[in-house]
Amino acid sequence: MEIKKQIEKAKIGDQVAFTSLLDYYWNEVYGFMLKRTENETDAEDITIETFAKAFDKIATYNPEFQFNTWLIAIAKNVHIDMLRKKKSTVFLDITDEEDNQAYNVADSSPSPEDKIITEQNLSRLLQCIKELKPHYQEVIQLRYFQELSYQEISEQLKEPLSNVKIKLLRAKKLLAEIIHNRR
């Protein structure tokens, strides 16, 4: 995968490019934050927030620097903010304008992961979902069983829309891996 091409596509709002970048860099950012925080939940929350912030601000990325360096810098800042707030979860104050931009990025058409979720045998699928961490189970439940929109999930969880999107994307990826490994 050519990272520069994916970044350029992401800058113009390509959802597939966002997903590729998330998949490619997730482990690096998560691993860095896990070493730094020594807490899986905090590391995961910071990583989700890092990608949400990075994708909201991707137009400001300077290609003179490595993309992973930029992501790690964002992760460090998110962690510092978390420490300042002394909370175990991290939320950015997102303006209405930023929220609308993030909402417009959402692609409501079913993705391949959505089709896999829909096509699976319900009892088998529920067993797979139970293997996810509780906060991932919750977003899957809200999106696919209660059929809430991203915005409705954001309001119900009292989390920024971009966090909900990243969390759902990660939950779907993990669920697809669980389903694949059971075959």
Side-chain angles (χ1 to χ4, degrees), residues 28 32 85 120 134 143 175 183:
E28 183 175 352
F32 175 82
K85 292 177 184 176
Q120 292 298 316
R143 180 72 175 152
L175 184 57
R183 287 184 179 171

Side-chain angles (χ1 to χ4, degrees), residues 115-129:
K115 290 176 184 166
I116 289 171
I117 289 169
T118 305
E119 292 167 4
Q120 292 298 316
N121 175 291
L122 186 57
S123 63
R124 185 169 160 224
L125 177 62
L126 291 173
Q127 289 301 317
C128 292
I129 290 171

Side-chain angles (χ1 to χ4, degrees), residues 33-63:
M33 289 316 305
L34 186 58
K35 285 179 187 169
R36 195 169 165 131
T37 63
E38 297 179 352
N39 180 305
E40 286 183 16
T41 303
D42 286 349
E44 198 165 78
D45 287 343
I46 292 168
T47 304
I48 288 168
E49 185 64 33
T50 297
F51 280 98
K53 191 171 187 179
F55 293 158
D56 283 345
K57 306 291 185 195
I58 197 157
T60 66
Y61 167 69
N62 182 346

